[in-house]
Amino acid sequence: WIRCYLTLERKAPGYLGTTIIIPGGSKSPLWYIIRRFADKAAMERWDNSEESLKLLKEAPVEFLVFIIIPILS
């Protein structure tokens, strides 16, 4: 699911990149997802897009609670 989400997010206008930090290694239930967009408007367009909202509804239970830290350039 996360690969699909990130693949689509990369195509969003204003998208600059994503960093994922998994403290404690790949088996950790806690993931920090740091997203970078050119500006707040670009980030909000992606967050409110049909594709993003559809994928969030399809997210597995383990991804329903995750931390997204937006970084605006």
Side-chain angles (χ1 to χ4, degrees):
W1 177 87
I2 192 72
R3 287 178 201 239
C4 183
Y5 186 88
L6 293 175
T7 297
L8 286 175
E9 184 180 57
R10 284 185 194 109
K11 298 175 185 177
Y15 173 81
L16 299 175
T18 298
T19 301
I20 299 175
I21 300 170
I22 308 170
S26 63
K27 298 192 186 292
S28 173
L30 178 63
W31 290 28
Y32 294 96
I33 301 173
I34 303 166
R35 307 178 310 153
R36 291 176 301 284
F37 283 86
D39 54 41
K40 186 177 179 181
M43 182 184 67
E44 288 175 346
R45 274 192 301 275
W46 165 249
D47 288 344
N48 295 311
S49 71
E50 185 176 322
E51 297 94 343
S52 175
L53 295 172
K54 180 179 183 285
L55 282 169
L56 288 174
K57 286 180 185 175
E58 296 172 356
V61 172
E62 61 267 24
F63 284 107
L64 290 179
V65 178
F66 58 93
I67 298 167
I68 297 177
I69 304 166
I71 305 283
L72 307 175
S73 290

